[in-house]
Amino acid sequence: MSRHHPISYLLSIIICLLSVITFSSCRQQPQHTYTHDMLLPMTPVKNQGKSELCWAYAMLATIETEHLLRGDSVNLSAVYVGRMLHATRQGEHAERAMCQTLLNIIGRKGIVPYDVLPDDATDELPTPRWVFMLGARYTPLEFAHSVCAPDEYVGLTCVPDSPYYQRVVVPVADNWERNRLLNVPLDTLRSRVDRALQNRHPVCWESSGHAMAIVGMAHDEQQHRYYVMKNSWGTQRPNGGLVYVSVRRMWRDMAALYMTREAYEGR
């Protein structure tokens, strides 16, 4: 019989026990069954890959769903937005920003369709100078104005120690542009979001670490309520790219929200 070094033998036992505990805890994680109370139409789920452009994907997903509900179909390129950002901002985490930055970029630099610059576009694929649509030629800026009119979207936040119904700088690191959003009491903000969804308008949700588009509501087998969010990490994860965020987590982590003026006004 071989002889074990006491320390090595002890370490092997510890590793074995940890493996058993980890495996058991993974198997015991609850698996919820979600039932959609309402789900808005969506363009295909995209994949941001290793980029930090979730804010661009989330805001574009919101715009795309809004157009689908109007009987129009647009599918927009976050890669184009990233290239416009890289032209002015470099360095570590230079891609991080707020969803308002997406609106600012397309208002200044325009946007192009997803098929022109898809998620897997390499640097060898040039940034287009023109957008061709229905036999007409547009600049990216002209195309953007047809997709998202200036001031079409309202940026909302809740900063309790600042005056309500005035625009305030959202105090998060990603707000390096120092964008000002409308400051709304939390209860009012919650009712506006739920009303927007009931009226079939998507809402863009931003936390301090990630952004997604709210495209529906759901509940689980215990009748706990969730916001259904369209993510930008591809379709290989569970639920085909949708994420079910509990009501508690949604409002606990919320930093900013975006919806059309029509949605905010209850139309």
Side-chain angles (χ1 to χ4, degrees):
M1 180 181 294
S2 61
R3 302 182 64 180
H4 298 280
H5 189 283
I7 296 178
S8 301
Y9 185 64
L10 180 60
L11 285 174
S12 65
I13 293 177
I14 293 173
I15 292 172
C16 183
L17 288 173
L18 287 175
S19 299
V20 171
I21 293 171
T22 302
F23 178 72
S24 300
S25 64
C26 288
R27 292 186 62 184
Q28 292 171 2
Q29 288 179 351
Q31 298 295 319
H32 292 296
T33 299
Y34 300 104
T35 300
H36 291 151
D37 300 312
M38 59 90 63
L39 186 66
L40 301 178
M42 296 166 281
T43 54
V45 172
K46 299 181 177 67
N47 193 337
Q48 69 185 76
K50 296 181 179 180
S51 78
E52 296 182 286
L53 296 172
C54 64
W55 49 274
Y57 281 90
M59 194 68 234
L60 290 178
T62 305
I63 294 171
E64 291 164 359
T65 287
E66 189 70 43
H67 273 265
L68 288 173
L69 290 163
R70 299 173 187 173
D72 187 17
S73 179
V74 294
N75 201 4
L76 305 170
S77 172
V79 172
Y80 176 87
V81 176
R83 290 187 180 184
M84 296 301 103
L85 182 67
H86 292 161
T88 59
R89 185 171 168 82
Q90 301 293 328
E92 187 178 10
H93 302 306
E95 290 184 335
R96 294 188 63 91
M98 291 188 68
C99 297
Q100 183 65 45
T101 301
L102 180 280
L103 296 173
N104 297 343
I105 288 176
I106 67 174
R108 295 190 301 261
K109 301 293 185 179
I111 192 68
V112 301
Y114 177 82
D115 290 344
V116 176
L117 280 180
D119 290 340
D120 59 358
T122 63
D123 293 340
E124 285 71 32
L125 187 62
T127 303
R129 295 178 56 196
W130 305 102
V131 175
F132 296 91
M133 189 71 63
L134 301 176
R137 185 180 76 171
Y138 305 90
T139 66
L141 189 57
E142 290 170 338
F143 178 65
H145 287 169
S146 70
V147 167
C148 182
D151 298 324
E152 181 177 349
Y153 282 83
V154 182
L156 306 164
T157 190
C158 181
V159 183
D161 58 354
S162 295
Y164 287 129
Y165 300 106
Q166 296 186 24
R167 295 192 175 276
V168 300
V169 175
V170 182
V172 295
D174 290 344
N175 191 16
W176 46 267
E177 289 187 309
R178 298 191 61 77
N179 291 300
R180 291 180 173 271
L181 275 59
L182 185 64
N183 193 27
V184 180
L186 187 59
D187 288 346
T188 302
L189 198 54
R190 292 180 66 156
S191 66
R192 295 293 175 103
V193 168
D194 290 347
R195 185 178 68 182
L197 292 170
Q198 291 164 6
N199 289 342
R200 296 184 65 75
H201 291 285
V203 178
C204 189
W205 173 81
E206 182 168 14
S207 70
S208 59
H210 195 46
M212 295 183 283
I214 308 176
V215 293
M217 295 292 299
H219 64 274
D220 63 16
E221 63 278 4
Q222 297 179 337
Q223 301 302 311
H224 296 147
R225 295 176 64 243
Y226 298 82
Y227 290 95
V228 185
M229 301 198 184
K230 179 185 178 184
N231 205 358
S232 54
W233 293 346
T235 58
Q236 300 305 309
R237 293 170 181 262
N239 304 310
L242 296 180
V243 176
Y244 296 83
V245 177
S246 69
V247 171
R248 179 176 179 273
R249 180 194 161 199
M250 183 321 210
W251 292 107
R252 180 195 67 198
D253 295 349
M254 186 275 302
L257 296 163
Y258 301 81
M259 64 181 76
T260 63
R261 290 189 179 276
E262 182 180 12
Y264 180 73
E265 294 168 1
R267 295 182 282 128

